[in-house]
Structures are given as C-alpha cells and as structure tokens.
Amino acid sequence: MKDNREKRILTIFFRALHGESLSVKQLALEFGLSTKSISRDINVIHAFLFENRELLGNTELIYSHKEKAYVLKNDEFLKNSELFALVKIIIGSRSLNKEDILNIIRKIKRVTTVSDRKKLEKLIRKEIYHYHEVKSDCRSVIDNVWEIAQAIENCQVLTITYYKMNRQEVKYKIKPVSIMFSEYYFYMIAYKYEDLNFRPVYFRIDRISSITENHEKFSLAREHSFDEGDLREKNQFMFPGENIRICFEFSGLSLQAILDRLPTARVVEKKENGVSVVEAEVNNGRGILMYLLSQGAWVKVISPDSLIEDLKKELEKMNALYK
C-alpha cells in the first residue's frame, strides 16, 4: 500500500515537472481515490519542495484559480514567451531535418502548461507543415555536430569525407578547433593535419558524409587557439580572409541594419544629404564583397583600393551577363 502511494506521488510530481496542470478532482477520478487522499499527496509534494529549496531553487506548486488546478512554477524554467522565441529560431534556421525539429519541439513543449502547449502548437503549425530543411550529405547534422564537439573537447584528430562546392568528394585529416552557426549552416573550423602554418579551414558540417576518429590526439600552442567571437564580429557568409579595415558611404533606409550586420562598424561622419560614412574591421574574404554588393547603390566603398578594384571587377562581370 505504501509503495502504491509513493509511486502515485512520484507520478503526480513527474507530470507537474512536465508542465501538466494538476486537478485534484481529475486525479481522484483517475486513481480511484478521494479528493482528500490526492490533497494529502499534493501536500507531500509541497513539503518536499519547501524542504529542498537549496536543491530545487524557487520551485513551488501553486494553485491556479483560473485553471482550478495546481501548476508547478520555477524561476529557472523557460517562460512561454522564451520557449516560443526559441522554437521560432530553430525553425527559422532550417539547419536541421524535419524529424529532428519535431523531436526537439516535442521535448520543449513538455515544459509548458497544457493550455500553453496548445497555443504553441497553433502558432507554429503552418510553419512546421511548410518546413523545408537545408539539404545535407550526412545522416544527421545534430549527430555530426555533437561528434565534432566531443573531438574538439578531447583534442582528437579526425578524418572526414567531405563534399566540396563542386560536389567533388574528398578526404581530409584535420585538427578540429571550433563549431559555429551562420546562415542556415553549422560550420567546423579546423586545421589540416599537415599544415604547419595553422591556416584555419571552414567545413560545412552538413557536407561531411562520414567522420572517423583517429587514435592520435593533438595539442595547440596558445597562439593557434581559435577565437570564435572575433570571427563572428568580422566574417560574412563564412568565407575566410585576412582582417582589413574598410570605409564606405551608406545612403540606404536602415543604417541600423548595417551596424547590426557588421558588429565592428561605427559611424564616423554624417553628411547633410543623409549619407553616413561607416568604418569597420572585417575579414577580406568573398563574404564582405557579397554583402556590400547586396546593398546595391546604397553603398559606395571609399577604401581600401584593393576592395574597390574587386568590386569593380565583379560589377563588370555582372554587367557582362546582361549584354
């Protein structure tokens, strides 16, 4: 009898942890007991939460007069607004396959109340129905990301099979040092095993069709450790390049969008005609060229001359396509 009660209390507590509203009347019907018995069970959970505040934080089982049921509240739980924003970001990234997306959302919904769960389902139903993941060459992007993350932590040399942009399949022996996410894709930053100059190479993780752990481990000198924050500030579209300082005029509608896109950017001058002069430190890869071109006639590059020449050549090639 005692075992049955303990099992029942644990079941009720577990359901509360998963966001279920606990109606005393409903639980009494479900377990074939009186409402007094269920109320005593609820009091046991109350007492447990109170006595273990240091372990569980500010967790309480609160009676909701609106729902006529008990609901578990915890300051550390994600708010429903936070859960909704998180789900939107996951869907908007398009980086995971639909099965993984549905699995993650199913788990996220467990920490909401039943009523909020229904709201969340209604809000994202159409997006899920029309969801199109980015096509990948691997069985699971999530599994690849985790396997690489473990290799980075353990300083494990890897051999990967990789599809290049031209769809050529190649093998690389690498020293993985970082994982980043940008524009729909997860990227692994690594050093090629034989490269003594330690030039970082970027691999799209969805293009890695197989990963083999070597028995060999590696170590890196401090000067070769990778700074993800610096890369995220200065890189566009994950094209590698040396750091350069650029200056350009911007005459578009949203200067803030430029400043958001280029975290190192600052306005150095505002002209009377509404044109802003912007300076930024960026990676001089193809990414910054692509981004500046995407702004059309709103952007006029002032320096450096090498970037101006690259833009001119690209514009000439583009113009030639329409002659």
Side-chain angles (χ1 to χ4, degrees):
M1 197 75 176
K2 180 183 176 183
D3 289 346
N4 287 341
R5 190 188 180 207
E6 287 178 351
K7 183 178 179 181
R8 185 176 68 247
I9 291 171
L10 285 172
T11 300
I12 293 170
F13 184 45
F14 182 77
R15 285 161 65 168
L17 281 172
H18 282 75
E20 188 173 328
S21 299
L22 304 174
S23 164
V24 172
K25 286 185 179 179
Q26 187 61 41
L27 289 171
L29 287 171
E30 186 178 330
F31 289 105
L33 298 168
S34 67
T35 54
K36 284 186 178 180
S37 294
I38 298 298
S39 293
R40 283 196 290 268
D41 292 345
I42 295 289
N43 287 335
V44 170
I45 296 172
H46 269 302
F48 174 77
L49 293 174
F50 180 79
E51 291 167 7
N52 294 275
R53 279 183 177 274
E54 290 184 8
L55 178 66
L56 299 171
N58 191 24
T59 305
E60 295 180 275
L61 200 58
I62 297 173
Y63 185 77
S64 168
H65 292 281
K66 183 180 178 181
E67 296 186 41
K68 296 182 179 179
Y70 288 92
V71 180
L72 196 69
K73 297 289 184 183
N74 187 312
D75 291 343
E76 299 301 314
F77 286 176
L78 286 170
K79 297 177 184 177
N80 293 317
S81 57
E82 293 168 335
L83 287 170
F84 178 67
L86 186 60
V87 169
K88 281 287 189 178
I89 290 169
I90 292 170
I91 293 172
S93 76
R94 293 182 53 214
S95 60
L96 305 177
N97 65 47
K98 194 167 186 175
E99 184 181 346
D100 285 335
I101 285 283
L102 290 172
N103 190 38
I104 290 169
I105 292 173
R106 177 177 57 81
K107 291 176 180 177
I108 287 175
K109 287 192 295 188
R110 287 180 182 173
V111 293
T112 64
T113 63
V114 174
S115 59
D116 285 324
R117 200 172 300 164
K118 290 177 181 176
K119 290 178 190 174
L120 184 62
E121 287 172 353
K122 187 177 179 181
L123 287 167
I124 65 174
R125 186 180 299 135
K126 289 182 180 178
E127 274 195 282
I128 289 294
Y129 179 76
H130 293 287
Y131 181 76
H132 294 286
E133 74 245 29
V134 172
K135 300 303 179 186
S136 68
D137 296 302
C138 61
R139 184 180 58 81
S140 169
V141 173
I142 285 181
D143 289 346
N144 269 12
V145 167
W146 182 242
E147 190 170 350
I148 293 166
Q150 296 290 94
I152 292 170
E153 183 180 359
N154 298 325
C155 297
Q156 195 88 39
V157 175
L158 298 178
T159 299
I160 62 170
T161 303
Y162 187 72
Y163 283 95
K164 297 170 73 174
M165 282 188 184
N166 62 3
R167 304 306 295 159
Q168 178 188 1
E169 188 181 43
V170 293
K171 282 187 180 291
Y172 292 106
K173 191 175 182 182
I174 57 163
K175 301 171 184 176
V177 292
S178 182
I179 293 173
M180 290 187 65
F181 181 83
S182 178
E183 264 81 37
Y184 307 116
Y185 307 113
F186 285 96
Y187 290 85
M188 171 180 63
I189 294 93
Y191 299 122
K192 289 184 180 178
Y193 182 80
E194 68 281 358
D195 185 7
L196 300 179
N197 293 316
F198 294 94
R199 289 164 297 196
V201 183
Y202 305 165
F203 298 95
R204 258 178 47 186
I205 291 179
D206 58 289
R207 288 186 183 156
I208 300 174
S209 58
S210 71
I211 302 172
T212 304
E213 286 189 7
N214 293 268
H215 295 299
E216 189 177 356
K217 293 184 180 290
F218 66 89
S219 60
L220 296 174
R222 190 167 186 176
E223 62 265 27
H224 300 310
S225 61
F226 198 80
D227 189 338
E228 295 92 341
D230 184 67
L231 178 65
R232 192 172 292 284
E233 276 193 337
K234 298 170 184 175
N235 189 276
Q236 299 297 313
F237 305 118
M238 294 303 290
F239 282 92
E242 298 296 325
N243 288 349
I244 60 167
R245 183 163 293 279
I246 65 171
C247 182
F248 59 90
E249 293 181 350
F250 180 73
S251 58
L253 300 175
S254 178
L255 175 61
Q256 188 57 48
I258 295 288
L259 300 179
D260 290 339
R261 182 72 201 202
L262 304 174
T264 62
R266 63 187 184 93
V267 179
V268 294
E269 184 184 352
K270 287 213 172 208
K271 298 187 175 181
E272 292 181 0
N273 57 1
V275 174
S276 298
V277 179
V278 179
E279 284 186 355
E281 188 175 353
V282 299
N283 277 168
N284 188 27
R286 184 168 176 79
I288 190 61
L289 191 72
M290 291 168 61
Y291 178 65
L292 293 173
L293 286 169
S294 75
Q295 299 303 307
W298 286 347
V299 162
K300 178 186 176 183
V301 176
I302 301 170
S303 67
D305 291 340
S306 58
L307 180 58
I308 295 172
E309 288 304 311
D310 287 342
L311 282 165
K312 285 180 178 178
K313 288 176 185 177
E314 196 70 22
L315 289 168
E316 286 170 4
K317 290 177 185 176
M318 292 168 65
N319 188 47
L321 294 175
Y322 298 97
K323 285 185 178 178

